[in-house]
Amino acid sequence: MTYLIQVKDLKQSFVGEVGLTVLESSLLAGVAMASSCRNGTCRTCICKLDSGSIDYQIDWPGLSQEEKDQGWFLPCVAVPMSDLVLSFP
């Protein structure tokens, strides 16, 4: 199963594969997203989830509950659970 991931700021989209993080899918598709640690601690890849749903591969992905409530997420440790629309800070 795959999901369509749209990046508003880049005016690009790519396919998100089940089991791959949003960041991994973007790199496979040649869509450049900022990243560094790739384990949810550095926050370099932080994005805003404008629509859709994600699930995390780790219990605590380096975001406060307030940030999560505001729609921020870390693509390096998030897998898509639906089509997504995201934007950069």
Side-chain angles (χ1 to χ4, degrees):
M1 177 175 267
T2 60
Y3 299 109
L4 178 64
I5 300 173
Q6 299 176 345
V7 184
K8 290 188 337 186
D9 303 286
L10 301 177
K11 297 182 178 148
Q12 290 183 301
S13 61
F14 58 94
V15 173
E17 299 282 340
V18 171
L20 293 181
T21 66
V22 174
L23 179 62
E24 290 168 333
S25 291
S26 76
L27 295 173
L28 285 174
V31 176
M33 292 179 72
S35 66
S36 183
C37 72
R38 298 186 185 186
N39 65 16
T41 58
C42 77
R43 300 168 50 100
T44 300
C45 66
I46 194 169
C47 290
K48 185 99 178 225
L49 184 61
D50 296 320
S51 69
S53 62
I54 50 117
D55 192 24
Y56 283 109
Q57 294 181 319
I58 59 174
D59 290 331
W60 186 250
L63 295 172
S64 69
Q65 188 59 50
E66 182 180 4
E67 289 171 318
K68 289 180 192 177
D69 292 344
Q70 293 172 356
W72 297 104
F73 81 107
L74 298 175
C76 67
V77 291
V79 292
M81 301 302 288
S82 70
D83 291 346
L84 307 177
V85 177
L86 56 95
S87 55
F88 299 125

